[in-house]
Amino acid sequence: MRICSLFILLIGITGCAVLNQPVIEIDVSHLTCESNPEFVDGNLETEGTFAVNGFVRKAYHMFGGESRRLAYSQRRYITQVEGNRRTEAIIKLDTPTYITYVEVYPASRVIPNFAMMTTTDDPPRFDVAFERVSDKQHKDIEGLTPVRYRIERDVLYLRMSADGIEDKQNSARTTNSGVEIPLKGASIREVKFYGRQTP
């Protein structure tokens, strides 16, 4: 009975030691981001911007009959996205690593509809390989304060995505009282990874 109690105690102590391993920042030398190297350069003074290819068109469209009176009454203001509103960047670690959490340091005051996904597949299969990070999934980042995302899994690739921002200052008028608004990507100063210290 005493041996069994000691064995259970030893397992409990070992389990607590594993759970209480200190979390450390992953050095930037283990991280790469081809599209936005500023995201992981270790310098909070630099910033990278998501690439976006698209614009928003807003205009009145007529629905229904031919008569002017009917057409006027059935006009609706329609918003259409030409191209792609969604932007993304992929950060790669040099080896699969258990990541406890990631901190995002925004440079834009709003990063709309931000989300993360991860995979350990190499190369990643974009259709099925990425697993969603459920923490704050598809929520806006507002303000310039760093935001922490719980990951708690092995990661080789981290895929971040966000919606483009309407650049209303550079909008242009079109026919039918319409307007075309270019989309611009949000900016990030740094993405920091934190994981367990390995022996």
Side-chain angles (χ1 to χ4, degrees):
M1 188 63 147
R2 181 179 289 179
I3 293 174
C4 185
S5 298
L6 287 172
F7 183 69
I8 291 172
L9 180 63
L10 182 60
I11 289 174
I13 292 170
T14 304
C16 288
V18 169
L19 291 174
N20 291 324
Q21 285 179 334
V23 174
I24 61 165
E25 183 179 348
I26 305 298
D27 192 87
V28 295
S29 63
H30 300 291
L31 307 170
T32 55
C33 183
E34 287 186 17
S35 61
N36 297 91
E38 303 87 355
F39 285 0
V40 291
D41 64 359
N43 184 353
L44 290 173
E45 300 301 314
T46 63
E47 61 185 62
T49 302
F50 285 101
V52 61
N53 181 20
F55 63 91
V56 175
R57 180 181 289 126
K58 299 184 179 184
Y60 282 103
H61 289 272
M62 291 185 231
F63 298 89
E66 296 290 326
S67 129
R68 284 190 175 188
R69 190 181 59 179
L70 283 174
Y72 182 77
S73 67
Q74 294 178 352
R75 285 177 16 150
R76 292 188 190 151
Y77 200 64
I78 302 294
T79 300
Q80 295 176 312
V81 177
E82 300 289 334
N84 194 354
R85 182 186 290 269
R86 204 75 180 140
T87 66
E88 70 173 38
I90 296 178
I91 298 172
K92 184 179 188 293
L93 289 91
D94 57 2
T95 185
T97 305
Y98 186 88
I99 300 300
T100 306
Y101 60 86
V102 166
E103 286 181 345
V104 175
Y105 289 70
S108 297
R109 293 204 169 271
V110 176
I111 303 178
N113 202 15
F114 188 80
M116 289 183 177
M117 302 177 83
T118 69
T119 187
T120 54
D121 287 3
D122 193 22
R125 292 170 44 212
F126 288 90
D127 52 347
V128 294
F130 283 90
E131 180 183 352
R132 293 173 184 233
V133 172
S134 59
D135 191 22
K136 306 176 192 70
Q137 176 82 342
H138 291 291
K139 292 188 178 176
D140 294 353
I141 295 178
E142 297 181 351
L144 301 178
T145 305
V147 179
R148 181 176 292 184
Y149 293 84
R150 286 182 292 108
I151 307 294
E152 297 177 350
R153 66 179 80 130
D154 287 340
V155 176
L156 181 59
Y157 292 92
L158 176 82
R159 181 182 183 186
M160 301 182 301
S161 60
D163 284 350
I165 302 166
E166 292 186 12
D167 186 5
K168 294 181 179 177
Q169 291 182 341
N170 291 308
S171 61
R173 287 275 171 205
T174 64
T175 56
N176 300 327
S177 302
V179 64
E180 287 185 357
I181 306 169
L183 291 170
K184 61 181 181 179
S187 298
I188 290 175
R189 290 184 288 132
E190 197 70 23
V191 181
K192 295 187 177 184
F193 288 68
Y194 294 84
R196 291 182 189 150
Q197 186 171 13
T198 53

